[in-house]
Amino acid sequence: MMQRTLVLLKPDAVERALVGRILARFEAKGLRLAGLKLIQVTPALAERHYAAHRGKPFYAGLIRFITSGPVVAVCLEGRKAIESVRRITGSTDAAEAAAGSIRGDFSSSNRFNLVHASDSPESAAQELANFFAPGELVDTSRESLRWLYDLSEGDPL
Ligand code: CMP
């Protein structure tokens, strides 16, 4: 099933100049860019994005970090994109993330963990709406999927 998901390349990814290498991993998997922009996250946007974590002990630090420098907001599209992107990203605590994942290969922090990725279809829809206006997302042409999936039976296989 084709899905869209929100990925944020956090301030550590931008400052450490890892943006290109991280995006390359998602692109290599066949995930398509549907939206991409460099933004400074405001406190209001950070609080909306991390509303589910309000009240947790790490909440204040999380808001401070995500607003501490520019982030790259990305909408990725692909078959089973939400779980696929989560697997490529690796588990939250980068010290424990699997080797081969972005966090496993490039971080050992539980906060400076480089990437945020939506964890369900509901949060993907909400988070994409928080970061992108509908006109900022582009539709992937069927032609561009031609060698990523078998399209001969209708739905991408
Ligand atoms: P992210 O995927 O952006 O979503 C929530 C973030 O909270 C998560 O990445 C972590 O960086 C952070 N987080 C989750 N659990 C903890 C924790 N126990 N201590 C510090 N930060 C945490």
Side-chain angles (χ1 to χ4, degrees):
M1 185 189 36
M2 296 295 276
Q3 289 180 330
R4 283 179 170 179
T5 188
L6 177 77
V7 169
L8 298 178
L9 309 189
K10 297 183 183 184
D12 53 338
V14 176
E15 293 300 334
R16 291 176 57 196
L18 292 170
V19 170
R21 291 166 82 182
I22 292 172
L23 286 178
R25 290 181 172 216
F26 294 124
E27 288 187 302
K29 179 71 172 167
L31 293 153
R32 302 281 311 179
L33 290 168
L36 181 70
K37 59 183 173 182
L38 181 75
I39 57 166
Q40 174 65 49
V41 175
T42 62
L45 177 56
E47 286 167 21
R48 207 176 319 136
H49 176 65
Y50 282 131
H53 297 291
R54 189 190 299 265
K56 294 184 182 169
F58 56 84
Y59 178 75
L62 188 57
I63 299 295
R64 207 183 323 122
F65 171 44
I66 204 69
T67 58
S68 65
V71 311
V72 177
V74 190
C75 175
L76 291 174
E77 186 169 55
R79 185 167 171 272
K80 301 187 179 182
I82 295 169
E83 65 173 278
S84 187
V85 165
R86 296 276 295 182
R87 205 173 303 113
I88 292 166
T89 297
S91 52
T92 301
D93 185 343
E96 296 171 8
S101 68
I102 292 164
R103 288 167 172 167
D105 287 354
F106 295 123
S107 171
S108 296
S109 172
N110 194 25
R111 176 165 293 156
F112 288 11
N113 59 6
L114 299 168
V115 179
H116 168 84
S118 306
D119 65 3
S120 68
E122 296 71 31
S123 59
Q126 182 60 57
E127 292 175 2
L128 284 168
N130 289 341
F131 280 87
F132 289 99
E136 292 178 319
L137 298 177
V138 301
D139 289 321
T140 304
S141 74
R142 223 167 144 76
E143 180 58 27
S144 66
L145 300 178
R146 176 111 170 51
W147 291 106
L148 293 173
Y149 303 104
D150 185 349
L151 301 176
S152 65
E153 296 174 28
D155 285 340
L157 292 173

